[in-house]
Amino acid sequence: MEERHLGRSGLTVSRLGLGTMTWGQDTDPDEAAAQLRAFVDAGGTLVDTADVYADGRSERILGHLLHEVADRDGLVIATKAAIRSNGRYDASRRHLLAALDGSLERLGLEYVDLWQLHAYDPSTPLEETLSALDEAVASGRTRYVGVSNYAGWQIAKAGAWQRAWPGREPIISAQMEYSLLSRDVEREAAPAAQDAGIGLLASSPLGRGVLTGKYRSGIPAGSRAAAPHFADFVQPYLDEECARIVESVVTAAEGLGVTPLSVALAWVRDRPGVTAPIVGARTAAQLGQALLSEDLTLPQEIRAALDDVSDMTSGSA
């Protein structure tokens, strides 16, 4: 699998990342092991988790597999903090550093490669939040730092603050939702990240699963939209406007002899500023389909057509 530099840094990661949000909830340890094996065998290196995924079970499963299935030194392990289990944002220095210690304990690691602020906390001074990133690197608990779900002005402010004085740790990544069904990041967040030399990690690159085409005829049993804990997550992308985009993706896939999933992933993977989409699969079979996108580069005319049809819903420039 091709690797890319993450932002303006020396860290390289595979241009497809493995997301683990379902691990410990919809994906059991055996399926997680099969996913990690398939990902590593395909040359993947970037594995992304968070302290709140399945109340910490995702990190525990990943930590076990790093000792049983994969070579930890060959992987780039990323996790996040700043959201409490009750959903409240907390990016105080106290909470963040304690959360990082908890993540390391669950992962069974002395350090992670990338530690990300999971959300912006307006109740904590930004300089306090960012000082926790500096401390995490200085103490050896992480090698690099990033942000997630930050607005454009928040990315610009945090990026500028960290580069304004020697000794502060530069932010190298910004993880945000980005797909043919969600292009709002192109308004401000993506340009801000690019200007600051921050690499984009695209979460939900398959439009929360809708871009696979599985919902064209309804909601199949066993899908995320059929699960009580994920139904509200998927529902916003089941309207008529999104359906038109899905049909365009399906048409492109049929013309190229590939799956809609591969088309959707290849589109976001090669957008300006994107380092890697983060794919979260429920099963190893689903992940295997995503890995096939590595061999696909969209022809310019198909890319332009998808750009046009997806602009109809987002209004992106």
Side-chain angles (χ1 to χ4, degrees), residues 69-119:
V69 173
D71 175 15
R72 187 265 179 270
D73 291 336
L75 296 175
V76 175
I77 305 301
T79 193
K80 312 180 197 74
I83 302 178
R84 289 185 175 274
S85 58
N86 61 5
R88 185 171 68 86
Y89 296 166
D90 188 346
S92 65
R93 182 184 176 95
R94 178 177 184 272
H95 172 74
L96 287 175
L97 294 176
L100 177 55
D101 288 339
S103 289
L104 293 175
E105 184 276 326
R106 288 185 291 274
L107 288 164
L109 300 176
E110 294 182 356
Y111 70 92
V112 292
D113 299 286
L114 177 64
W115 187 45
Q116 304 155 95
L117 299 172
H118 206 163

Side-chain angles (χ1 to χ4, degrees), residues 34-256:
Q35 285 187 27
L36 187 58
R37 286 193 189 97
F39 184 66
V40 171
D41 288 347
T45 61
L46 175 61
V47 183
D48 180 74
T49 187
D51 60 345
V52 293
Y53 288 171
D55 294 325
R57 293 189 299 277
S58 173
E59 288 183 327
R60 289 195 183 280
I61 291 173
L62 176 56
H64 173 75
L65 296 180
L66 291 177
H67 298 285
E68 300 293 331
V69 173
D71 175 15
R72 187 265 179 270
D73 291 336
L75 296 175
V76 175
I77 305 301
T79 193
K80 312 180 197 74
I83 302 178
R84 289 185 175 274
S85 58
N86 61 5
R88 185 171 68 86
Y89 296 166
D90 188 346
S92 65
R93 182 184 176 95
R94 178 177 184 272
H95 172 74
L96 287 175
L97 294 176
L100 177 55
D101 288 339
S103 289
L104 293 175
E105 184 276 326
R106 288 185 291 274
L107 288 164
L109 300 176
E110 294 182 356
Y111 70 92
V112 292
D113 299 286
L114 177 64
W115 187 45
Q116 304 155 95
L117 299 172
H118 206 163
Y120 183 85
D121 174 14
S123 65
T124 300
L126 183 60
E127 55 268 31
E128 176 184 338
T129 295
L130 296 176
S131 73
L133 301 184
D134 299 336
E135 170 63 23
V137 175
S139 64
R141 285 176 277 185
T142 186
R143 298 294 189 254
Y144 297 90
V145 293
V147 298
S148 178
N149 300 312
Y150 269 38
W153 70 267
Q154 294 162 354
I155 292 171
K157 185 176 180 179
W161 178 271
Q162 290 303 93
R163 291 188 180 277
W165 194 259
R168 294 176 185 159
E169 292 303 321
I171 292 169
I172 69 165
S173 68
Q175 186 171 155
M176 58 193 75
E177 184 168 358
Y178 192 8
S179 75
L180 279 161
L181 302 184
S182 179
R183 295 181 60 185
D184 286 348
V185 297
E186 294 177 2
R187 298 175 185 271
E188 295 182 359
Q194 286 182 265
D195 183 69
I198 294 171
L200 301 181
L201 299 175
S203 61
S204 295
L206 298 175
R208 306 180 185 184
V210 175
L211 286 165
T212 63
K214 71 173 69 176
Y215 299 107
R216 295 169 70 203
S217 301
I219 298 177
S223 66
R224 285 186 178 183
H229 53 284
F230 272 128
D232 289 343
F233 181 65
V234 178
Q235 190 61 43
Y237 294 155
L238 297 180
D239 61 19
E240 291 184 5
E241 290 181 315
C242 290
R244 284 196 290 271
I245 296 173
V246 172
E247 290 306 313
S248 295
V249 171
V250 170
T251 299
E254 291 173 346
L256 294 170

Side-chain angles (χ1 to χ4, degrees), residues 21-39:
M21 186 172 69
T22 64
W23 289 16
Q25 187 166 18
D26 296 324
T27 301
D28 64 31
D30 289 339
E31 274 291 342
Q35 285 187 27
L36 187 58
R37 286 193 189 97
F39 184 66

